[in-house]
Amino acid sequence: MPASFIQGLFPKAVAENYLQSIKESSLTRKILLNMALRITIVVLISTIISYVHVMSNLEIQTKQQLDKYITQRGQRESFIFQLSQDNVKLLSENILQGIKNPSAKDLNAEFDRIYFNWNDGTIRNFPQNQPVQEFDTVNFPNSFIGKNVKLDNKDKQILLTAYELVNSYGHAWNNRFACTYFITSSNSLVGYWKGMPWVIQADSDLNVNKQEYYYTADAQHNPERKSVWTGLYYDATANDWMVSALNPAYDNNNHLIGIVGQDIVLSDLMKNTINDILPGTYNLIFHKDGRLIAHPKYMKEIMAARGKLKVQELNNQALSHTFEIIQQQTNNFGVLENIKDKTYLGFSRLKSTDWYFVTVYPKSLLSNFAIGTIKFILVAALISLVIEIILLYLVIDKDIATPLHELITVADDISVGKLDINLELNREDEIGKLATSFNIMANQLNTTFGNLENAKAELENKVEERTQELQKTLANLRDTQAQMLQTEKMSALGQTVAGVAHEINNPVNFIHANIEFVQTYIKDLLEIIDFYQENFPETPELLQGKIDEVDLEFIKEDSVKILASMNIGTVRIREIVKSLRSFSRLDEADYKQVNIHEGIDSTLLILQHRLKKNSTQSEIQIIKNYAQIPLVECYAGKLNQVFMNIVANAIDALSELRTSDTTASISIATQVIDENRVRICIIDNGTGIDEEVCKNIFNPFFTTKPVGKGTGLGLSISYQIIVETHKGKIYCDSELDKGTKFIVEIPICQ
């Protein structure tokens, strides 16, 4: 430990005394170095465990946050697509219904009123010689009939029906959708586009039946006759990126009479995808066939390729790997771990489309945060170490080193015959007693030597008397030393129990948390083996020999049992650790309002394995009689520990009943007994407890269970939690052969 660091932390005089004592005093130096070494090792181990714990918690929190984020984004971005798909279906149905039930108007007269023949051979709903800017795009749709198209009455009826409905629905939908249109199979189009008379200006050679926004939904490309989507395209007229929802309309004779379409402007979707992100992440959208829709790095390339840029064409292994992982998923949304690229992938398939919205979350964000946290913990721990060593030095120097130095000086004086001494150590501990003994001894020796010449005859008697006194003093010193050692042992034992409980807790939690993942992995591996055996029943001879040698069936059965046993073991260890920590009052938390019923249910869930039926015992029935009670202000963890102890004891009490034909049951009831108190009753129908045992049931270390089956701390700790911590009541009401009732009453507000 650098001297400059010590001098920077403490006053100059204290720092100099500390450094000088280390140089000169071997005993002080040895104690301080040993303590510093041991505490440093504990700090390093704790730091490593803390890092693992922080990373584990961060990974869980990140996955939960990412899952929530991707679900919300998927729902939000899917809304416009779902709405457009519903719109084109609705418009298709209304056009077909309108064709079946035509209006009473004169068909040809109405058609001639709306449409005008142009010199280029086309028919449009606007006179040829009038300026295009005079066309009213707000109240009328655009309509275009291709060059030299021959129309019969049926075609005219279809166009007039579409004209009326497209105008009505397009006018209603124009605030969300750029264009709503209907294209017939005879190269005719009716479209409502507010502020854009584009078909009035269209080239006479335009064949709308050969455009992507028609043929994508025709019988050849869409035999299922479902609603479909075009690919991403750039509309030069609107100067924006779009995609169109299409729905085919078939008559009663299964003839395609036309395609209903609606354009969605994608500029906002692309902008939100790039800019609306979680800190440190980025979003992208791609089609299931690999076409890239939006990516913060490749927007220029996407626009240059007119929306046809595929992931496979880019030299980006991370992006290709992300696409491969998402493409293999059968779910519509979720969170995946990309181990190869060290990222988390949140994905959501946008409803009604084949587009995937993906959020890429680098793992480095977690490790950087965890390392920063651990650095702070380590620095704080090292500073605490230095402070503890300095404080330890001050205690040793004041209470041990200085008094011992004075005793050594007196002993040296006595050894050279200086008996006129008087140690002024006003202390009542062992060193004070030793100083008193030194004073007595020196005075007695001085008196003895002063009277030596006059008491030669009585010398032997005096020597014997003094020797006996010295032996008695020495015996007293030894007894005192033994008492001091015993006291220190008991103190150290208490600290050790608390320390061991704390140190065991983290690795046990780590093991317990990972058993579930190991179970999942082994289950997946066994499913793969079963799948392989089902699809390849003829196993090669060498492989079959190895399977027989290792007894695969036994391994499949026994591995599940082993993991279950390990899980039960870790739960038991955690319960013991919790009991030790609670008993030593090392686990404190703030009051908070909680739902008592949730705490009881979580306790029952933890003990579920003990409630189920097994090879030797029947199932324990749980009967819940929950009343309507408010949130209770309490220490939630400690209260759950009480429920755990009582229910676990009830399960033990029902062990004999479960082997008989009688149904074993535990009833749990809650009720409000006055305006500020609730009562929880836990009743079993076991063998009951006699009156003498009931009197001692809440005493520490009192247990009726065999050695190894119980510590006798559970109900004692429960009593402390309810009575001392929560200012409540807990009592037991039991009768032999009629079961046991535990009643807990606590205030609603502390």
Side-chain angles (χ1 to χ4, degrees), residues 206-234:
L206 172 66
N207 188 344
V208 291
N209 296 136
K210 294 183 179 181
Q211 304 301 317
E212 182 181 6
Y213 47 79
Y214 175 85
Y215 68 72
T216 303
D218 65 14
Q220 178 183 353
H221 297 86
N222 184 25
E224 299 89 350
R225 301 182 181 182
K226 62 182 182 179
S227 296
V228 295
W229 293 86
T230 66
L232 177 69
Y233 64 90
Y234 185 80

Side-chain angles (χ1 to χ4, degrees), residues 359-384:
T359 296
V360 181
Y361 196 112
K363 283 188 177 181
S364 59
L365 297 177
L366 302 183
S367 59
N368 291 340
F369 180 81
I371 290 174
T373 302
I374 296 307
K375 283 182 178 179
F376 174 79
I377 293 174
L378 184 59
V379 171
L382 291 176
I383 293 175
S384 299

Side-chain angles (χ1 to χ4, degrees), residues 268-384:
D268 289 340
L269 174 62
M270 291 180 172
K271 182 178 179 181
N272 292 337
T273 300
I274 303 302
N275 299 326
D276 187 3
I277 60 175
L278 292 173
T281 69
Y282 65 91
N283 299 329
L284 61 126
I285 300 177
F286 57 74
H287 193 276
K288 72 175 183 179
D289 63 6
R291 281 179 291 173
L292 200 57
I293 310 299
H295 191 291
K297 186 178 179 181
Y298 296 109
M299 290 309 299
K300 291 183 179 179
E301 290 82 350
I302 293 172
M303 293 180 180
R306 295 294 179 180
K308 301 186 183 300
L309 179 66
K310 289 194 173 184
V311 172
Q312 298 88 335
E313 300 173 4
L314 297 170
N315 187 21
N316 189 325
Q317 294 183 354
L319 181 58
S320 299
H321 192 212
T322 297
F323 171 70
E324 293 172 0
I325 293 175
I326 302 299
Q327 192 181 38
Q328 295 171 1
Q329 303 306 308
T330 58
N331 297 331
N332 290 330
F333 62 91
V335 176
L336 306 170
E337 183 175 3
N338 184 351
I339 299 176
K340 181 178 180 181
D341 300 316
K342 298 180 180 180
T343 59
Y344 292 112
L345 303 176
F347 73 95
S348 178
R349 183 172 180 172
L350 302 185
K351 292 181 180 179
S352 306
T353 72
D354 291 324
W355 294 11
Y356 287 92
F357 185 96
V358 181
T359 296
V360 181
Y361 196 112
K363 283 188 177 181
S364 59
L365 297 177
L366 302 183
S367 59
N368 291 340
F369 180 81
I371 290 174
T373 302
I374 296 307
K375 283 182 178 179
F376 174 79
I377 293 174
L378 184 59
V379 171
L382 291 176
I383 293 175
S384 299

